[in-house]
Each structure stands twice: as C-alpha cells, then as structure tokens.
Amino acid sequence: MPTDTTSAPAFRYAAVTFDCPDPAALARFYGEVLGLPVAFSSDDFVMLGERGAPGLGFNRLADYRRPTWPDPAQEKQAHLDFGVDDLEAAEARLLALGATKAAFQPEPDRWRVLLDPAGHPFCVSTLT
C-alpha cells in the first residue's frame, strides 16, 4: 500500500478582490473607510493592506456591470460587513466618502446596506 509522504500545502487568507471599472477610485474609497494604505498599484489592479496582513484588491474589468441588488438581474456576488459603534455616524461618513444608500433596507435598526462607488453592496452593523 503506497504511503503519501508529501505534506499538504499551507494556505493563508491573503485578500478579497473586487472587479470594478476603476481600481484606483474604488481603492481610494475603501482606503479611506478602513485606513489602509496602497500596497501595490498598476493601471489595472490596486491592493490595499499592511505588509504581512490580508488585504483588499481591486481589479479592472472592461465589461463590468454593477450589481442590481436586491433585483436578481445582476446579483451582488459577495459583500463586506463592517462593525461600527454608531450606525448614524458611520452611514454619514460613508456617504461623504462616496457610498450611496441602497433603497431597500431589510433591517435598518440593526444594519444599513450601502453601495460602494462601483455599486457593490456592503453592510454596516453594530452587531459585529
């Protein structure tokens, strides 16, 4: 009976990458929200994060289509959740940075759904 002596490769979480029409613009938005520096930048890709820590990536997609959430015509694919102490103050800050408030708010007393400048939905909540 053969014995496999090779070990499995170790994996570590590195980043979440969002497709978008303008990586630099979306990176500026999330960089301001999270206080993250640009770790790498090219015309088609920007990575935010601290050296040795997971980051956020933004990839140019020529035929990018904004999510239409909650309309399923173009699903949201994924979203980020941010924990905050004050929903009202957090929402105001995010709107000032370029987010927009989604028309549909499933539980506005518990969390808010906002859209980043490229249309990706994300949530802010005092529950996390």
Side-chain angles (χ1 to χ4, degrees), residues 10-109:
F11 292 90
R12 65 185 178 283
Y13 168 71
V16 170
T17 298
F18 287 94
D19 291 335
C20 60
D22 185 345
L26 200 53
R28 272 192 301 279
F29 173 78
Y30 281 106
E32 284 289 325
V33 170
L34 298 170
L36 291 174
V38 173
F40 173 83
S41 180
S42 72
D43 289 343
D44 294 320
F45 184 78
V46 177
M47 175 64 77
L48 296 178
E50 300 286 345
R51 184 171 174 84
L56 284 177
F58 306 95
N59 180 66
R60 184 182 310 279
L61 187 63
D63 63 347
Y64 175 76
R65 292 184 308 246
R66 294 174 69 95
T68 57
W69 180 89
D71 177 355
Q74 182 66 35
E75 289 287 348
K76 63 183 176 184
Q77 297 106 25
H79 72 277
L80 296 172
D81 292 281
F82 299 112
V84 299
D85 294 328
D86 182 328
L87 275 176
E88 298 300 326
E91 180 181 310
R93 172 71 174 143
L94 292 163
L95 294 173
L97 290 173
T100 56
K101 189 170 181 178
F104 178 62
Q105 295 291 319
E107 292 192 49
D109 294 337

